[in-house]
């Protein structure tokens, strides 16, 4: 039997490391997992309590609304007003999605069709590459860089693309590279999009994870953004609610309405008690993201200072829950999959191979800050023993 939609998908390289990790654990070895970016912090207790309460009400067991219940969309509007000083209409400029990956993937179905093209940073979070491909579109890579250099790369990619891209995908702070940008950058890309009549899709997954005083901007803060842009915001990292699958798409009302139309055929929204719990969480513990951010900053410091001590030097990230690094020079010939496999077997540490993030990722590895500081320090000691040629 032929599965034509997925026949050209490459093997998901992260499963190679995951399989090794499982194998080593079954053999009784302790593996410190800094690979899969699965937040380990508990969700707010108020979310759990409200979920249990709402789930006991049988009226919440029926179908919900694919657009999201009104109070949840109002809570999202309040978040944007409070965090970014951006005004959004909950009825026309906000829609809830069943996680950001679902929202992004279905949005690509709305915006793209076979023969269209999308510009995507390289390297990139895998769904940012494969979402357009699932819609039948072609993907053109923008070499990842910061500030003016990225804008120049974007213009270059646009100039030499045929057909002209209908969509430009952005995501800052960036996964996997942790690249961060400022509001001036956002204004530059919005101005470009207005001039060239292209849609901007910004995945703001790490909106609340900025370190050393850095506060990630929203593309909605740029003048004219609502004319050309939408943004995805998720409760996964900010509120440590990964498994709850609660996210929002905000911005251009025509695109919001188009996604709502598609979703009306596809789903009935997230389980209503989850939506109720998410609403109460955003309203009642709005400062929870600050607590989460502090934890990740301490973990970043533990990792980067520890690696620096053993001779593995990297620039500390300004945002996200990750660190991105070139493979140390004595080991770079191994390639990212072989290097990460070596670390699982010899150091008991699991990392993500850079090649899994598409073009530009090879030669790098990604650390996920999903273990506590004690475990991170242990990982550094293990790496020191397994990589004797460091330093």
């Amino acid at each position: 039997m032929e599965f034509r939609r997925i026949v050209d998908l490459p093997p998901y390289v992260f499963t190679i490391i995951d399989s090794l990790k499982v194998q080593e654990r079954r053999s009784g070895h302790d593996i410190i997992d800094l690979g899969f970016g699965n937040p380990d912090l508990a969700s707010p207790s108020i979310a759990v309590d409200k979920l249990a309460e709402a789930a006991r009400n049988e009226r919440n067991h029926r179908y919900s609304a694919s657009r999201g219940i009104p109070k949840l969309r109002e809570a999202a509007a309040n978040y944007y007003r409070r965090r970014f000083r951006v005004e959004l209409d909950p009825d026309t400029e906000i829609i809830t999605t069943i996680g950001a990956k679902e929202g992004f993937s279905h949005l690509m179905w709305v915006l793209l069709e076979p023969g269209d093209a999308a510009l995507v940073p390289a390297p990139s979070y895998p769904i940012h590459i494969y979402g357009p491909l699932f819609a039948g579109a072609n993907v053109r890579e923008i070499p990842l860089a910061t500030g003016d250099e990225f804008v120049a790369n974007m213009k270059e990619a646009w100039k030499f693309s045929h057909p002209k891209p209908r969509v430009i995908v952005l995501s800052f702070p960036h996964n996997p590279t942790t690249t961060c940008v400022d509001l001036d950058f956002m204004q530059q890309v919005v101005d470009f999009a207005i001039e060239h009549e292209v849609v901007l899709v910004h995945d703001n997954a790490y909106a609340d994870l900025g370190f050393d005083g850095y506060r990630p901007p929203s593309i909605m803060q740029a003048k004219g953004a609502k004319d050309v842009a939408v943004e995805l915001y998720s409760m996964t990292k900010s509120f440590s609610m990964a498994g709850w699958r609660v996210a929002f798409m905000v911005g251009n009302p025509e695109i919001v309405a188009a996604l709502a139309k598609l979703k009306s055929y596809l789903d009935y929204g997230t389980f209503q008690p989850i939506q109720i719990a998410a609403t109460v969480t955003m309203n009642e513990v709005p400062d929870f993201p600050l607590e989460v951010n502090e934890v990740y900053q301490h973990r970043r410091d533990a990792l980067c200072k520890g690696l620096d001590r053993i001779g593995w030097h990297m620039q500390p990230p300004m945002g996200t829950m990750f660190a991105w690094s070139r493979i140390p020079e004595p080991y770079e010939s191994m390639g990212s999959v072989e290097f990460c496999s070596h670390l699982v077997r010899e150091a008991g540490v699991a990392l993500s191979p850079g090649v899994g993030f598409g073009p530009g990722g090879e030669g790098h590895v990604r650390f996920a800050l999903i273990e506590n500081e004690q475990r991170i320090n242990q990982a550094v000691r293990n790496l020191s023993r397994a990589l004797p040629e460091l330093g």
Side-chain angles (χ1 to χ4, degrees), residues 15-59:
T15 61
I16 299 172
I17 307 304
D18 286 339
S19 297
L20 277 174
K21 179 177 65 180
V22 170
Q23 179 182 325
E24 290 294 313
R25 283 176 171 168
R26 285 176 176 169
S27 299
H29 300 127
D30 176 33
I31 303 298
I32 301 172
D33 189 358
L34 303 178
F36 181 33
N38 193 4
D40 64 315
L41 303 179
S43 302
S45 58
I46 193 172
V48 178
D49 294 341
K50 195 64 182 181
L51 172 64
E53 176 188 325
R56 293 190 184 99
N57 185 338
E58 61 186 29
R59 288 179 299 178

Side-chain angles (χ1 to χ4, degrees), residues 121-124 129 141 354-355 357-362:
S124 190
I129 300 171
E141 289 85 21
V355 70
F357 300 99
E362 182 55 282

Side-chain angles (χ1 to χ4, degrees), residues 109-369:
W109 292 8
V110 169
L111 297 175
L112 299 167
E113 63 180 24
D116 288 338
L119 291 181
V120 180
S124 190
Y125 184 54
I127 196 60
H128 294 162
I129 300 171
Y130 290 102
L133 293 176
F134 290 151
N138 298 306
V139 169
R140 309 279 187 257
E141 289 85 21
I142 310 172
L144 213 294
T146 57
D148 292 342
E149 186 180 351
F150 179 88
V151 174
N153 291 344
M154 179 183 70
K155 291 178 178 179
E156 187 83 357
W158 172 273
K159 179 180 178 181
F160 291 103
S161 289
H162 181 78
K164 291 305 179 191
R166 290 174 54 86
V167 171
I168 299 176
V169 176
L170 304 168
S171 184
F172 297 100
H174 185 255
N175 175 16
T177 69
T178 76
T179 299
C180 293
V181 299
D182 58 17
L183 185 54
D184 179 66
F185 170 91
M186 294 298 192
Q187 189 64 61
Q188 288 187 65
V189 294
V190 166
D191 291 343
F192 178 87
I194 291 172
E195 179 183 354
H196 295 281
E197 298 182 342
V198 62
V199 174
L200 300 174
V201 177
H202 182 236
D203 186 353
N204 202 7
Y206 306 95
D208 295 299
L209 295 186
F211 310 136
D212 304 324
Y214 171 70
R215 296 278 277 168
S218 164
I219 202 167
M220 290 295 115
Q221 293 173 278
K223 183 180 179 181
K226 289 184 184 180
D227 294 333
V228 292
V230 289
E231 180 167 84
L232 289 151
Y233 172 82
S234 170
M235 297 185 73
T236 290
K237 281 79 182 183
S238 298
F239 289 88
S240 200
M241 294 173 67
W244 300 64
R245 311 314 299 140
V246 180
F248 310 92
M249 189 187 79
V250 310
N252 182 275
E254 291 183 68
I255 299 175
V256 169
L259 181 59
K261 183 176 182 179
L262 177 67
K263 282 174 62 64
S264 70
Y265 283 87
L266 297 176
D267 68 73
Y268 291 105
T270 301
F271 184 40
Q272 189 152 297
I274 291 178
Q275 295 191 53
I276 293 170
T279 302
V280 171
T281 299
M282 294 189 83
N283 289 336
E284 298 297 325
V285 288
D287 291 335
F288 190 82
L290 298 177
E291 301 175 27
V292 171
N293 187 75
E294 185 176 4
V295 171
Y296 284 123
Q297 179 161 335
H298 286 312
R299 292 179 178 184
R300 179 210 63 170
D301 292 344
L303 176 68
C304 293
K305 290 177 182 177
L307 291 177
D308 196 60
R309 283 195 303 272
I310 67 171
W312 186 338
H313 308 296
M314 72 169 71
Q315 183 69 32
M318 290 177 59
T320 77
M321 54 183 288
F322 304 110
W324 178 253
S325 174
R326 291 200 64 83
I327 297 171
E329 190 273 333
Y331 301 94
E332 62 185 8
S333 63
M334 298 175 73
S336 59
V337 172
E338 184 182 350
F339 180 68
C340 288
S341 300
H342 171 77
L343 294 184
V344 172
R345 290 189 295 261
E346 302 301 324
V349 176
L351 305 180
S352 293
V355 70
F357 300 99
E362 182 55 282
H364 297 77
V365 293
R366 190 194 70 177
F367 295 79
L369 304 174

